[in-house]
Amino acid sequence: MSSSAKVHRESRWPRSRVGRRLGITSRAGLALVVGLLFLFPLYVAWVTSLDTAAHVFTVPPHLVPDFDFNAYRRVWHMARWLMYLGNSAFITTATLAIALSSSVLSAYAFSFLRFKGSNAVFMGILVVLMIPAEALLIPNYVILQVFHLLNTYWAQILPYGASVFGVFLLRQSFLSLPNSYWEAAKLDGASHLRFLWSVALPLAKPALFTIGLYIFIGCWNAFQWPLIVTTSHSVQPIEVAVSRLMMAHSVDWRRLSAAGIMTTFPLVIAFFILQRHIVRGISRGEGLQE
Amino acid sequence: MQARIAESDRAARVREGVQRKPRRFGDGWRAALFLLPTLVFALVFVYAPAAMSLVLGFYHYHFMGVGTTFAGLSDFRSALTYPIFWLALEHTLIYALYMVPLTLAGAVAIAVLIDGKSRLYSTIRTLVLLPYITPVIATSIGWLWMFNPQYGILNTVLHWLHLPPSQWLLSSTMAMPSVVLYSLWHGLGFNVVIVLSTLSGIPRPVWEAAAVDGATGCQRFFRVTLPLISPTLFFLAVVTTIGSLQAFSQIYALSGGTGGPEYATTTLLLLIYQTAFQYFHFSYAAAMAMLLVLLILILTFIQNWLSKRWVFYQ
């Protein structure tokens, strides 16, 4: 058989209509299995949290929920969850506010203000991306100690006050606005801040959402830094509280699962509501590769 | 008419004002004000600590600030002669060696599988991305339970498949692969979404041309798709490498904060954390951190060199 004939035959895959339908169905089936595999660990935790005591330690594992809410009731009284939740919310909100405003202002300066050394300063900021976070762990702890900021909310907020990723992405977004917009606004007597607020920012909404999303995920799920810089419970985020519960009650699977589900659930709900935007926002984060 | 005159009058005045401004300085002061927040944060929490990290390893820094003495290379010497340091280095590299190829291959496989406009595929994309936004500590609880050698679902599955059961996190050989399994579950979705967005950017005619030329599905994938997405794969390889060197929460949670059993999941970052913040040997930990940074630089260099050989830039 000549090689060209072989290639030709294979290129007509799938050949028959039945074959094509079979191909589509098996691909969809395989995809569905993959999707469910990713959901499964959350499902296991959910079922375990709702099990009755008799159904936890069983072989094979019990995979139908009993809807016994006792574990939740008991775990609720084991820690001040609302306080930890409030801490997480405050730290995340403050970081978002500070990091977003600082990067918006810098990105604006790089795109609409003319000044000497603009490129040099921009490069200087991009250098931050090349400094590995591991190098900063210990010196940043020392710096916070010098400022007497250990064990405060600020210790968990200020180190993330500058977002180089944010400056970069917003600058790209601002640069896509024609300079004539600013010229026109200037003729109407608008100041830079006014133009930034009323024209530039609304047009940069997608970039703002992407940056906010990455900051939110990083901040809400932060664990290592809060673990290092806080010791008093009153300023700790919920992740640290859950980890403490894990170390203390390592065999009470129902209560642990309940705590895990309790902290994951709000995020899952928010994710499903915003999923379209989140997928688009994460894809945009790829903009950093150039 | 009058309005137009007023308009042009104002325009002229503005133009005049612009001309009177010394052009040479431009918006210098305003720019400085706009840049101030970012620069202050970067200075205090990035540049200064980065500079400090270069010298911290050479000094004995006492936790309560009682005094700082020059130590020279002694901390580096003790790090390099500490067997656990080498073990942790090995585990860090092994973890990255698991994570990078598995993440890239898994992401491309899943992305190609669910690349399509149908509702089913976009739902599955959502499910695959879901773990990425969940908190690591909270979701590792469910995995700890699944890894349980006696009652966990994973050993039940192995039993169904007539395979021998595993001790998972309790075995020194399986503990690291178990952490890798969790990390893949948690992070793969991000990579899938990025690959999907690159795939959707490839113009259809490219594939059609390949099909007309008689390329099989396999050939199309290896000769057309893969080269076209190789810049994205390189980006993901770099991001995954950096991420796996920074892996901490999952290792902490799945090993109960110990890096065990028998140091099996002790990576450099965990060792640095324990040395600095559990035993308060700051300069010793700083010396190890510098060695880790050196490792990162070497890896970045290697990756850049490799990228010139196999990344196809349009």
Side-chain angles (χ1 to χ4, degrees):
Chain A
M1 194 201 291
S2 75
S3 71
S4 77
K6 191 174 160 202
V7 166
H8 184 67
R9 199 192 54 169
E10 279 174 5
S11 75
R12 297 192 51 191
W13 172 91
R15 278 185 290 180
S16 66
R17 187 170 248 179
V18 177
R20 178 176 297 178
R21 277 230 73 79
L22 210 68
I24 290 175
T25 318
S26 56
R27 182 180 163 197
L30 187 61
L32 196 65
V33 170
V34 169
L36 291 179
L37 275 180
F38 276 84
L39 192 62
F40 190 67
L42 292 177
Y43 179 76
V44 168
W46 182 68
V47 169
T48 310
S49 73
L50 292 173
D51 265 342
T52 54
H55 275 148
V56 181
F57 297 103
T58 51
V59 181
H62 177 246
L63 288 175
V64 188
D66 297 326
F67 295 104
D68 174 5
F69 286 91
N70 266 321
Y72 285 90
R73 217 165 291 141
R74 276 162 51 207
V75 85
W76 183 256
H77 295 295
M78 287 170 77
R80 296 172 60 191
W81 297 109
L82 281 179
M83 178 187 80
Y84 293 122
L85 210 62
N87 289 347
S88 280
F90 176 73
I91 293 163
T92 307
T93 316
T95 309
L96 272 173
I98 294 176
L100 280 179
S101 3
S102 75
S103 40
V104 161
L105 286 173
S106 307
Y108 186 85
F110 288 126
S111 15
F112 285 99
L113 301 180
R114 260 162 246 282
F115 57 100
K116 262 190 177 172
S118 162
N119 275 328
V121 178
F122 185 58
M123 285 301 150
I125 288 182
L126 282 193
V127 164
V128 169
L129 288 177
M130 292 167 206
I131 300 173
E134 294 87 341
L136 306 179
L137 214 58
I138 296 164
N140 261 335
Y141 181 88
V142 175
I143 284 177
L144 289 173
Q145 192 187 25
V146 169
F147 287 135
H148 298 287
L149 283 175
L150 287 180
N151 242 336
T152 61
Y153 288 127
W154 298 113
Q156 306 168 66
I157 297 167
L158 296 180
Y160 304 101
S163 163
V164 177
F165 172 66
V167 174
F168 185 86
L169 215 62
L170 278 165
R171 175 179 164 272
Q172 272 189 329
S173 168
F174 285 157
L175 282 179
S176 69
L177 301 182
N179 213 37
S180 58
Y181 281 26
W182 160 241
E183 299 293 334
K186 196 163 67 173
L187 287 182
D188 287 339
S191 67
H192 275 288
L193 277 179
R194 175 88 215 158
F195 174 69
L196 169 61
W197 185 254
S198 319
V199 182
L201 267 191
L203 289 171
K205 260 187 204 154
L208 276 179
F209 180 80
T210 299
I211 299 158
L213 181 70
Y214 277 103
I215 295 176
F216 179 87
I217 294 175
C219 221
W220 189 271
N221 298 344
F223 174 68
Q224 187 188 25
W225 190 244
L227 180 74
I228 290 173
V229 297
T230 63
T231 45
S232 59
H233 298 189
S234 60
V235 294
Q236 282 178 338
I238 196 155
E239 275 276 270
V240 176
V242 173
S243 90
R244 194 165 35 237
L245 191 77
M246 262 173 94
M247 303 300 155
H249 301 269
S250 56
V251 286
D252 194 341
W253 291 104
R254 284 195 303 155
R255 273 190 270 178
L256 281 182
S257 305
I261 290 295
M262 216 167 60
T263 40
T264 314
F265 197 63
L267 283 171
V268 173
I269 296 293
F271 174 75
F272 277 117
I273 294 171
L274 291 171
Q275 46 137 325
R276 240 162 245 280
H277 302 276
I278 289 177
V279 169
R280 228 174 289 148
I282 284 181
S283 322
R284 231 176 275 121
E286 195 198 0
L288 203 59
Q289 70 174 284
E290 278 115 41
Chain B
M1 189 66 193
Q2 211 159 26
R4 203 190 293 165
I5 290 172
E7 189 69 61
S8 72
D9 191 21
R10 195 166 63 173
R13 253 187 290 132
V14 169
R15 226 175 291 130
E16 208 180 315
V18 168
Q19 271 166 2
R20 244 189 290 127
K21 254 192 200 162
R23 268 228 151 272
R24 219 151 40 90
F25 296 105
D27 300 308
W29 278 108
R30 193 175 284 119
L33 267 176
F34 274 53
L35 289 170
L36 194 66
T38 300
L39 290 181
V40 167
F41 284 124
L43 187 72
V44 178
F45 293 109
V46 182
Y47 300 129
M52 271 170 77
S53 76
L54 293 180
V55 292
L56 223 52
F58 299 101
Y59 285 89
H60 281 308
Y61 174 85
H62 296 286
F63 176 56
M64 296 311 281
V66 189
T68 306
T69 49
F70 188 69
L73 288 171
S74 70
D75 282 316
F76 290 92
R77 210 174 300 127
S78 36
L80 291 172
T81 51
Y82 181 40
I84 307 300
F85 173 82
W86 290 101
L87 211 57
L89 176 68
E90 193 189 319
H91 294 152
T92 308
L93 289 174
I94 288 177
Y95 180 73
L97 278 176
Y98 269 120
M99 282 304 289
V100 177
L102 287 177
T103 301
L104 292 189
V108 172
I110 295 176
V112 169
L113 180 68
I114 64 174
D115 181 27
K117 289 221 171 350
S118 81
R119 230 197 143 85
L120 175 74
Y121 289 148
S122 72
T123 310
I124 290 168
R125 184 187 60 191
T126 308
L127 290 182
V128 172
L129 184 62
L130 176 62
Y132 178 68
I133 56 105
T134 61
V136 170
I137 302 294
T139 47
S140 59
I141 292 174
W143 276 87
L144 269 172
W145 183 225
M146 293 190 354
F147 281 131
N148 188 297
Q150 252 181 301
Y151 304 103
I153 183 98
L154 289 177
N155 269 350
T156 310
V157 172
L158 287 183
H159 181 74
W160 286 337
L161 298 172
H162 298 287
L163 290 169
S166 167
Q167 290 293 306
W168 301 106
L169 289 163
L170 302 181
S171 124
S172 53
T173 49
M174 275 307 287
M176 198 50 124
S178 308
V179 174
V180 169
L181 204 58
Y182 173 85
S183 305
L184 285 174
W185 172 77
H186 191 264
L188 212 49
F190 168 81
N191 298 272
V192 170
V193 167
I194 300 277
V195 173
L196 274 175
S197 99
T198 312
L199 283 179
S200 72
I202 299 177
R204 277 207 69 80
V206 174
W207 272 311
E208 279 155 16
V212 168
D213 286 347
T216 62
C218 243
Q219 282 174 327
R220 253 184 297 168
F221 175 73
F222 283 107
R223 300 275 170 83
V224 182
T225 313
L226 217 48
L228 281 174
I229 63 172
S230 62
T232 300
L233 291 186
F234 175 63
F235 165 74
L236 291 179
V238 172
V239 171
T240 312
T241 308
I242 294 173
S244 55
L245 296 175
Q246 287 177 351
F248 181 84
S249 310
Q250 61 268 54
I251 294 171
Y252 186 93
L254 293 174
S255 71
T258 61
E262 295 163 44
Y263 298 104
T265 53
T266 301
T267 56
L268 273 181
L269 195 58
L270 196 76
L271 187 64
I272 291 169
Y273 163 78
Q274 290 174 335
T275 311
F277 303 108
Q278 287 181 346
Y279 307 120
F280 298 109
H281 290 307
F282 269 67
S283 48
Y284 190 23
M288 290 198 270
M290 251 183 93
L291 294 169
L292 174 59
V293 168
L294 202 66
L295 173 73
I296 294 171
L297 289 180
I298 294 171
L299 287 181
T300 313
F301 182 78
I302 294 176
Q303 274 181 330
N304 269 315
W305 182 76
L306 282 177
S307 83
K308 286 195 194 105
R309 304 186 143 247
W310 62 266
V311 176
F312 170 79
Y313 290 105
Q314 272 174 301

